[in-house]
mmCIF file of all heavy atoms in Angstrom:
data_model
loop_
_atom_site.group_PDB
_atom_site.id
_atom_site.type_symbol
_atom_site.label_atom_id
_atom_site.label_comp_id
_atom_site.label_asym_id
_atom_site.label_seq_id
_atom_site.Cartn_x
_atom_site.Cartn_y
_atom_site.Cartn_z
ATOM 1 N N MET U 22 107.496 33.131 62.374
ATOM 2 C CA MET U 22 106.252 33.391 61.634
ATOM 3 C C MET U 22 105.386 32.151 61.462
ATOM 4 O O MET U 22 104.169 32.223 61.675
ATOM 5 C CB MET U 22 106.561 34.042 60.279
ATOM 6 C CG MET U 22 107.046 35.480 60.397
ATOM 7 S SD MET U 22 106.967 36.381 58.827
ATOM 8 C CE MET U 22 108.108 35.447 57.818
ATOM 9 N N PRO U 23 105.920 30.995 61.092
ATOM 10 C CA PRO U 23 105.064 29.807 60.957
ATOM 11 C C PRO U 23 104.406 29.413 62.285
ATOM 12 O O PRO U 23 103.248 28.974 62.299
ATOM 13 C CB PRO U 23 106.035 28.712 60.492
ATOM 14 C CG PRO U 23 107.185 29.447 59.892
ATOM 15 C CD PRO U 23 107.313 30.707 60.674
ATOM 16 N N ILE U 24 105.129 29.583 63.387
ATOM 17 C CA ILE U 24 104.561 29.274 64.708
ATOM 18 C C ILE U 24 103.385 30.205 64.991
ATOM 19 O O ILE U 24 102.304 29.779 65.404
ATOM 20 C CB ILE U 24 105.638 29.415 65.810
ATOM 21 C CG1 ILE U 24 106.750 28.407 65.580
ATOM 22 C CG2 ILE U 24 105.021 29.239 67.191
ATOM 23 C CD1 ILE U 24 107.955 28.597 66.491
ATOM 24 N N SER U 25 103.611 31.494 64.753
ATOM 25 C CA SER U 25 102.565 32.496 64.973
ATOM 26 C C SER U 25 101.351 32.235 64.081
ATOM 27 O O SER U 25 100.204 32.302 64.531
ATOM 28 C CB SER U 25 103.127 33.892 64.691
ATOM 29 O OG SER U 25 102.126 34.872 64.785
ATOM 30 N N ALA U 26 101.587 31.911 62.808
ATOM 31 C CA ALA U 26 100.487 31.642 61.876
ATOM 32 C C ALA U 26 99.665 30.445 62.338
ATOM 33 O O ALA U 26 98.428 30.449 62.258
ATOM 34 C CB ALA U 26 101.035 31.398 60.474
ATOM 35 N N GLY U 27 100.340 29.407 62.847
ATOM 36 C CA GLY U 27 99.637 28.235 63.359
ATOM 37 C C GLY U 27 98.746 28.586 64.536
ATOM 38 O O GLY U 27 97.627 28.056 64.667
ATOM 39 N N GLU U 28 99.213 29.492 65.395
ATOM 40 C CA GLU U 28 98.413 29.919 66.547
ATOM 41 C C GLU U 28 97.177 30.688 66.081
ATOM 42 O O GLU U 28 96.089 30.540 66.664
ATOM 43 C CB GLU U 28 99.267 30.784 67.476
ATOM 44 C CG GLU U 28 100.362 29.994 68.202
ATOM 45 C CD GLU U 28 101.331 30.882 68.972
ATOM 46 O OE1 GLU U 28 101.115 32.110 69.003
ATOM 47 O OE2 GLU U 28 102.299 30.341 69.539
ATOM 48 N N HIS U 29 97.318 31.487 65.028
ATOM 49 C CA HIS U 29 96.166 32.232 64.503
ATOM 50 C C HIS U 29 95.139 31.281 63.880
ATOM 51 O O HIS U 29 93.931 31.486 64.030
ATOM 52 C CB HIS U 29 96.622 33.261 63.475
ATOM 53 C CG HIS U 29 97.331 34.438 64.084
ATOM 54 N ND1 HIS U 29 98.667 34.423 64.377
ATOM 55 C CD2 HIS U 29 96.877 35.645 64.490
ATOM 56 C CE1 HIS U 29 99.012 35.580 64.921
ATOM 57 N NE2 HIS U 29 97.944 36.342 64.995
ATOM 58 N N ARG U 30 95.614 30.254 63.181
ATOM 59 C CA ARG U 30 94.710 29.267 62.601
ATOM 60 C C ARG U 30 93.935 28.550 63.709
ATOM 61 O O ARG U 30 92.730 28.303 63.584
ATOM 62 C CB ARG U 30 95.502 28.269 61.758
ATOM 63 C CG ARG U 30 94.664 27.208 61.080
ATOM 64 C CD ARG U 30 93.718 27.774 60.044
ATOM 65 N NE ARG U 30 94.391 28.270 58.859
ATOM 66 C CZ ARG U 30 93.759 28.878 57.849
ATOM 67 N NH1 ARG U 30 92.450 29.091 57.913
ATOM 68 N NH2 ARG U 30 94.434 29.305 56.797
ATOM 69 N N ALA U 31 94.613 28.241 64.822
ATOM 70 C CA ALA U 31 93.966 27.571 65.956
ATOM 71 C C ALA U 31 92.911 28.472 66.598
ATOM 72 O O ALA U 31 91.857 27.991 67.041
ATOM 73 C CB ALA U 31 95.013 27.162 66.987
ATOM 74 N N ILE U 32 93.170 29.772 66.639
ATOM 75 C CA ILE U 32 92.196 30.726 67.183
ATOM 76 C C ILE U 32 90.918 30.717 66.349
ATOM 77 O O ILE U 32 89.810 30.647 66.883
ATOM 78 C CB ILE U 32 92.803 32.153 67.224
ATOM 79 C CG1 ILE U 32 93.835 32.253 68.349
ATOM 80 C CG2 ILE U 32 91.710 33.203 67.405
ATOM 81 C CD1 ILE U 32 94.656 33.536 68.318
ATOM 82 N N VAL U 33 91.080 30.773 65.026
ATOM 83 C CA VAL U 33 89.906 30.771 64.135
ATOM 84 C C VAL U 33 89.115 29.473 64.300
ATOM 85 O O VAL U 33 87.880 29.487 64.362
ATOM 86 C CB VAL U 33 90.335 30.965 62.667
ATOM 87 C CG1 VAL U 33 89.135 30.824 61.738
ATOM 88 C CG2 VAL U 33 90.981 32.340 62.476
ATOM 89 N N LYS U 34 89.818 28.353 64.374
ATOM 90 C CA LYS U 34 89.159 27.061 64.546
ATOM 91 C C LYS U 34 88.364 27.018 65.845
ATOM 92 O O LYS U 34 87.215 26.526 65.880
ATOM 93 C CB LYS U 34 90.203 25.938 64.542
ATOM 94 C CG LYS U 34 89.608 24.540 64.596
ATOM 95 C CD LYS U 34 90.711 23.482 64.516
ATOM 96 C CE LYS U 34 90.101 22.080 64.593
ATOM 97 N NZ LYS U 34 91.160 21.025 64.533
ATOM 98 N N ALA U 35 88.929 27.544 66.919
ATOM 99 C CA ALA U 35 88.243 27.540 68.214
ATOM 100 C C ALA U 35 87.009 28.443 68.189
ATOM 101 O O ALA U 35 85.958 28.085 68.726
ATOM 102 C CB ALA U 35 89.207 27.986 69.314
ATOM 103 N N ILE U 36 87.134 29.617 67.562
ATOM 104 C CA ILE U 36 85.989 30.522 67.455
ATOM 105 C C ILE U 36 84.886 29.878 66.629
ATOM 106 O O ILE U 36 83.705 29.921 66.995
ATOM 107 C CB ILE U 36 86.422 31.871 66.831
ATOM 108 C CG1 ILE U 36 87.306 32.650 67.816
ATOM 109 C CG2 ILE U 36 85.203 32.700 66.430
ATOM 110 C CD1 ILE U 36 87.953 33.895 67.224
ATOM 111 N N ALA U 37 85.267 29.252 65.506
ATOM 112 C CA ALA U 37 84.285 28.616 64.619
ATOM 113 C C ALA U 37 83.558 27.457 65.297
ATOM 114 O O ALA U 37 82.414 27.151 64.959
ATOM 115 C CB ALA U 37 84.978 28.123 63.350
ATOM 116 N N SER U 38 84.203 26.830 66.276
ATOM 117 C CA SER U 38 83.589 25.685 66.972
ATOM 118 C C SER U 38 82.429 26.096 67.857
ATOM 119 O O SER U 38 81.602 25.256 68.242
ATOM 120 C CB SER U 38 84.645 24.972 67.827
ATOM 121 O OG SER U 38 84.942 25.729 68.991
ATOM 122 N N GLY U 39 82.377 27.398 68.210
ATOM 123 C CA GLY U 39 81.314 27.863 69.091
ATOM 124 C C GLY U 39 81.593 27.586 70.559
ATOM 125 O O GLY U 39 80.753 27.874 71.419
ATOM 126 N N ASP U 40 82.757 27.043 70.864
ATOM 127 C CA ASP U 40 83.144 26.731 72.248
ATOM 128 C C ASP U 40 83.802 27.970 72.859
ATOM 129 O O ASP U 40 84.963 28.263 72.578
ATOM 130 C CB ASP U 40 84.110 25.545 72.255
ATOM 131 C CG ASP U 40 84.464 25.061 73.654
ATOM 132 O OD1 ASP U 40 84.404 25.877 74.600
ATOM 133 O OD2 ASP U 40 84.811 23.877 73.801
ATOM 134 N N ALA U 41 83.050 28.695 73.695
ATOM 135 C CA ALA U 41 83.529 29.958 74.251
ATOM 136 C C ALA U 41 84.790 29.759 75.094
ATOM 137 O O ALA U 41 85.729 30.557 75.014
ATOM 138 C CB ALA U 41 82.439 30.624 75.084
ATOM 139 N N GLU U 42 84.821 28.698 75.883
ATOM 140 C CA GLU U 42 85.982 28.465 76.746
ATOM 141 C C GLU U 42 87.235 28.179 75.911
ATOM 142 O O GLU U 42 88.311 28.716 76.174
ATOM 143 C CB GLU U 42 85.723 27.296 77.689
ATOM 144 C CG GLU U 42 86.868 27.047 78.659
ATOM 145 C CD GLU U 42 86.578 25.929 79.652
ATOM 146 O OE1 GLU U 42 85.419 25.481 79.747
ATOM 147 O OE2 GLU U 42 87.530 25.503 80.338
ATOM 148 N N ALA U 43 87.087 27.352 74.869
ATOM 149 C CA ALA U 43 88.229 27.003 74.016
ATOM 150 C C ALA U 43 88.725 28.228 73.249
ATOM 151 O O ALA U 43 89.941 28.437 73.107
ATOM 152 C CB ALA U 43 87.843 25.900 73.042
ATOM 153 N N ALA U 44 87.802 29.054 72.763
ATOM 154 C CA ALA U 44 88.186 30.245 72.000
ATOM 155 C C ALA U 44 88.899 31.253 72.902
ATOM 156 O O ALA U 44 89.918 31.833 72.514
ATOM 157 C CB ALA U 44 86.963 30.876 71.361
ATOM 158 N N GLY U 45 88.361 31.447 74.091
ATOM 159 C CA GLY U 45 88.995 32.361 75.031
ATOM 160 C C GLY U 45 90.387 31.891 75.413
ATOM 161 O O GLY U 45 91.328 32.680 75.461
ATOM 162 N N ARG U 46 90.517 30.588 75.645
ATOM 163 C CA ARG U 46 91.811 30.026 76.030
ATOM 164 C C ARG U 46 92.823 30.131 74.886
ATOM 165 O O ARG U 46 93.995 30.434 75.103
ATOM 166 C CB ARG U 46 91.648 28.570 76.450
ATOM 167 C CG ARG U 46 92.932 27.942 77.016
ATOM 168 C CD ARG U 46 92.661 26.592 77.641
ATOM 169 N NE ARG U 46 92.139 25.635 76.672
ATOM 170 C CZ ARG U 46 90.892 25.165 76.666
ATOM 171 N NH1 ARG U 46 90.024 25.575 77.594
ATOM 172 N NH2 ARG U 46 90.493 24.294 75.752
ATOM 173 N N ALA U 47 92.364 29.902 73.646
ATOM 174 C CA ALA U 47 93.261 29.978 72.484
ATOM 175 C C ALA U 47 93.832 31.388 72.329
ATOM 176 O O ALA U 47 95.026 31.567 72.059
ATOM 177 C CB ALA U 47 92.518 29.562 71.213
ATOM 178 N N MET U 48 92.979 32.396 72.524
ATOM 179 C CA MET U 48 93.441 33.768 72.390
ATOM 180 C C MET U 48 94.337 34.171 73.559
ATOM 181 O O MET U 48 95.359 34.840 73.377
ATOM 182 C CB MET U 48 92.247 34.728 72.250
ATOM 183 C CG MET U 48 91.511 34.556 70.926
ATOM 184 S SD MET U 48 90.398 35.924 70.527
ATOM 185 C CE MET U 48 91.529 37.263 70.215
ATOM 186 N N PHE U 49 93.973 33.754 74.767
ATOM 187 C CA PHE U 49 94.799 34.045 75.947
ATOM 188 C C PHE U 49 96.181 33.415 75.793
ATOM 189 O O PHE U 49 97.206 34.073 75.999
ATOM 190 C CB PHE U 49 94.104 33.513 77.201
ATOM 191 C CG PHE U 49 94.860 33.773 78.478
ATOM 192 C CD1 PHE U 49 94.649 34.942 79.197
ATOM 193 C CD2 PHE U 49 95.775 32.848 78.961
ATOM 194 C CE1 PHE U 49 95.346 35.188 80.375
ATOM 195 C CE2 PHE U 49 96.481 33.089 80.133
ATOM 196 C CZ PHE U 49 96.267 34.257 80.842
ATOM 197 N N ASP U 50 96.207 32.145 75.416
ATOM 198 C CA ASP U 50 97.482 31.426 75.275
ATOM 199 C C ASP U 50 98.365 32.045 74.201
ATOM 200 O O ASP U 50 99.590 32.102 74.350
ATOM 201 C CB ASP U 50 97.222 29.948 74.949
ATOM 202 C CG ASP U 50 96.669 29.181 76.142
ATOM 203 O OD1 ASP U 50 96.699 29.714 77.274
ATOM 204 O OD2 ASP U 50 96.195 28.035 75.939
ATOM 205 N N HIS U 51 97.753 32.496 73.111
ATOM 206 C CA HIS U 51 98.522 33.110 72.017
ATOM 207 C C HIS U 51 99.261 34.352 72.515
ATOM 208 O O HIS U 51 100.447 34.549 72.212
ATOM 209 C CB HIS U 51 97.585 33.476 70.865
ATOM 210 C CG HIS U 51 98.228 34.308 69.794
ATOM 211 N ND1 HIS U 51 99.272 33.866 69.028
ATOM 212 C CD2 HIS U 51 97.969 35.580 69.388
ATOM 213 C CE1 HIS U 51 99.630 34.814 68.170
ATOM 214 N NE2 HIS U 51 98.862 35.864 68.382
ATOM 215 N N VAL U 52 98.568 35.205 73.284
ATOM 216 C CA VAL U 52 99.198 36.424 73.788
ATOM 217 C C VAL U 52 100.294 36.085 74.795
ATOM 218 O O VAL U 52 101.376 36.693 74.785
ATOM 219 C CB VAL U 52 98.150 37.363 74.433
ATOM 220 C CG1 VAL U 52 98.836 38.609 75.011
ATOM 221 C CG2 VAL U 52 97.104 37.776 73.410
ATOM 222 N N MET U 53 100.044 35.084 75.650
ATOM 223 C CA MET U 53 101.049 34.710 76.638
ATOM 224 C C MET U 53 102.285 34.100 75.973
ATOM 225 O O MET U 53 103.418 34.309 76.420
ATOM 226 C CB MET U 53 100.454 33.736 77.660
ATOM 227 C CG MET U 53 99.318 34.333 78.486
ATOM 228 S SD MET U 53 99.732 35.929 79.262
ATOM 229 C CE MET U 53 100.732 35.365 80.635
ATOM 230 N N GLU U 54 102.076 33.368 74.890
ATOM 231 C CA GLU U 54 103.220 32.838 74.132
ATOM 232 C C GLU U 54 104.021 33.986 73.523
ATOM 233 O O GLU U 54 105.258 33.969 73.512
ATOM 234 C CB GLU U 54 102.728 31.896 73.026
ATOM 235 C CG GLU U 54 102.218 30.554 73.515
ATOM 236 C CD GLU U 54 103.329 29.673 74.066
ATOM 237 O OE1 GLU U 54 104.500 29.846 73.657
ATOM 238 O OE2 GLU U 54 103.028 28.831 74.919
ATOM 239 N N SER U 55 103.309 34.992 72.998
ATOM 240 C CA SER U 55 103.987 36.167 72.441
ATOM 241 C C SER U 55 104.790 36.881 73.518
ATOM 242 O O SER U 55 105.905 37.359 73.269
ATOM 243 C CB SER U 55 102.960 37.137 71.839
ATOM 244 O OG SER U 55 102.312 36.567 70.731
ATOM 245 N N LYS U 56 104.218 36.956 74.721
ATOM 246 C CA LYS U 56 104.929 37.594 75.827
ATOM 247 C C LYS U 56 106.220 36.840 76.142
ATOM 248 O O LYS U 56 107.284 37.455 76.301
ATOM 249 C CB LYS U 56 104.041 37.654 77.078
ATOM 250 C CG LYS U 56 104.707 38.336 78.252
ATOM 251 C CD LYS U 56 103.824 38.380 79.490
ATOM 252 C CE LYS U 56 103.964 37.123 80.312
ATOM 253 N NZ LYS U 56 103.357 37.268 81.657
ATOM 254 N N GLU U 57 106.129 35.520 76.217
ATOM 255 C CA GLU U 57 107.319 34.726 76.537
ATOM 256 C C GLU U 57 108.388 34.858 75.450
ATOM 257 O O GLU U 57 109.578 34.943 75.740
ATOM 258 C CB GLU U 57 106.928 33.248 76.725
ATOM 259 C CG GLU U 57 106.140 32.983 77.991
ATOM 260 C CD GLU U 57 106.836 33.503 79.236
ATOM 261 O OE1 GLU U 57 108.040 33.242 79.407
ATOM 262 O OE2 GLU U 57 106.179 34.202 80.040
ATOM 263 N N ARG U 58 107.953 34.902 74.184
ATOM 264 C CA ARG U 58 108.915 35.089 73.088
ATOM 265 C C ARG U 58 109.593 36.452 73.189
ATOM 266 O O ARG U 58 110.786 36.587 72.930
ATOM 267 C CB ARG U 58 108.208 34.927 71.733
ATOM 268 C CG ARG U 58 107.808 33.493 71.409
ATOM 269 C CD ARG U 58 107.424 33.334 69.952
ATOM 270 N NE ARG U 58 106.138 33.906 69.625
ATOM 271 C CZ ARG U 58 104.998 33.220 69.557
ATOM 272 N NH1 ARG U 58 104.978 31.927 69.837
ATOM 273 N NH2 ARG U 58 103.871 33.809 69.221
ATOM 274 N N THR U 59 108.812 37.455 73.579
ATOM 275 C CA THR U 59 109.360 38.796 73.732
ATOM 276 C C THR U 59 110.414 38.834 74.833
ATOM 277 O O THR U 59 111.490 39.417 74.666
ATOM 278 C CB THR U 59 108.227 39.797 74.067
ATOM 279 O OG1 THR U 59 107.319 39.862 72.966
ATOM 280 C CG2 THR U 59 108.779 41.186 74.333
ATOM 281 N N ILE U 60 110.113 38.200 75.957
ATOM 282 C CA ILE U 60 111.061 38.159 77.083
ATOM 283 C C ILE U 60 112.335 37.428 76.680
ATOM 284 O O ILE U 60 113.454 37.887 76.945
ATOM 285 C CB ILE U 60 110.412 37.493 78.313
ATOM 286 C CG1 ILE U 60 109.265 38.366 78.848
ATOM 287 C CG2 ILE U 60 111.452 37.256 79.402
ATOM 288 C CD1 ILE U 60 108.435 37.705 79.921
ATOM 289 N N GLN U 61 112.180 36.285 76.009
ATOM 290 C CA GLN U 61 113.350 35.501 75.588
ATOM 291 C C GLN U 61 114.215 36.284 74.608
ATOM 292 O O GLN U 61 115.443 36.302 74.710
ATOM 293 C CB GLN U 61 112.895 34.182 74.971
ATOM 294 C CG GLN U 61 112.322 33.194 75.986
ATOM 295 C CD GLN U 61 111.716 31.976 75.332
ATOM 296 O OE1 GLN U 61 111.916 31.727 74.140
ATOM 297 N NE2 GLN U 61 110.957 31.200 76.098
ATOM 298 N N ASN U 62 113.565 36.930 73.618
ATOM 299 C CA ASN U 62 114.308 37.724 72.636
ATOM 300 C C ASN U 62 115.061 38.867 73.308
ATOM 301 O O ASN U 62 116.205 39.177 72.964
ATOM 302 C CB ASN U 62 113.357 38.287 71.573
ATOM 303 C CG ASN U 62 112.934 37.242 70.571
ATOM 304 O OD1 ASN U 62 113.457 36.132 70.570
ATOM 305 N ND2 ASN U 62 111.974 37.577 69.726
ATOM 306 N N HIS U 63 114.391 39.498 74.268
ATOM 307 C CA HIS U 63 115.018 40.609 74.995
ATOM 308 C C HIS U 63 116.243 40.122 75.766
ATOM 309 O O HIS U 63 117.307 40.765 75.727
ATOM 310 C CB HIS U 63 114.002 41.229 75.962
ATOM 311 C CG HIS U 63 114.578 42.315 76.818
ATOM 312 N ND1 HIS U 63 114.878 43.568 76.328
ATOM 313 C CD2 HIS U 63 114.925 42.329 78.133
ATOM 314 C CE1 HIS U 63 115.383 44.307 77.299
ATOM 315 N NE2 HIS U 63 115.423 43.579 78.406
ATOM 316 N N MET U 64 116.107 38.996 76.444
ATOM 317 C CA MET U 64 117.224 38.457 77.223
ATOM 318 C C MET U 64 118.401 38.072 76.327
ATOM 319 O O MET U 64 119.560 38.295 76.669
ATOM 320 C CB MET U 64 116.753 37.251 78.044
ATOM 321 C CG MET U 64 115.788 37.620 79.162
ATOM 322 S SD MET U 64 115.117 36.184 80.037
ATOM 323 C CE MET U 64 116.608 35.535 80.809
ATOM 324 N N GLN U 65 118.082 37.504 75.159
ATOM 325 C CA GLN U 65 119.140 37.123 74.221
ATOM 326 C C GLN U 65 119.887 38.352 73.710
ATOM 327 O O GLN U 65 121.119 38.345 73.585
ATOM 328 C CB GLN U 65 118.551 36.339 73.051
ATOM 329 C CG GLN U 65 118.111 34.933 73.420
ATOM 330 C CD GLN U 65 117.337 34.248 72.305
ATOM 331 O OE1 GLN U 65 117.130 34.826 71.236
ATOM 332 N NE2 GLN U 65 116.888 33.036 72.552
ATOM 333 N N ARG U 66 119.153 39.412 73.426
ATOM 334 C CA ARG U 66 119.786 40.630 72.937
ATOM 335 C C ARG U 66 120.606 41.311 74.036
ATOM 336 O O ARG U 66 121.645 41.896 73.764
ATOM 337 C CB ARG U 66 118.730 41.589 72.395
ATOM 338 C CG ARG U 66 118.166 41.161 71.040
ATOM 339 C CD ARG U 66 117.118 42.144 70.541
ATOM 340 N NE ARG U 66 116.724 41.831 69.182
ATOM 341 C CZ ARG U 66 115.801 40.927 68.849
ATOM 342 N NH1 ARG U 66 115.180 40.254 69.801
ATOM 343 N NH2 ARG U 66 115.498 40.680 67.590
ATOM 344 N N GLN U 67 120.099 41.226 75.252
ATOM 345 C CA GLN U 67 120.840 41.809 76.372
ATOM 346 C C GLN U 67 122.155 41.067 76.602
ATOM 347 O O GLN U 67 123.161 41.662 76.967
ATOM 348 C CB GLN U 67 119.997 41.752 77.652
ATOM 349 C CG GLN U 67 118.791 42.671 77.657
ATOM 350 C CD GLN U 67 119.168 44.136 77.680
ATOM 351 O OE1 GLN U 67 119.180 44.811 76.650
ATOM 352 N NE2 GLN U 67 119.508 44.647 78.836
ATOM 353 N N ALA U 68 122.110 39.746 76.377
ATOM 354 C CA ALA U 68 123.299 38.915 76.612
ATOM 355 C C ALA U 68 124.307 39.005 75.473
ATOM 356 O O ALA U 68 125.496 38.760 75.662
ATOM 357 C CB ALA U 68 122.894 37.447 76.815
#
């Protein structure tokens, strides 16, 4: 949860900056990190 909350704070900061590329990248990276966590959790449970 603290990791996820930090990513959300970074998203808001990027949007507030007005930098479209940074905001888009922050949101893209957040979802991809969530995907990787999901895969890792799944593999751990399978094992």
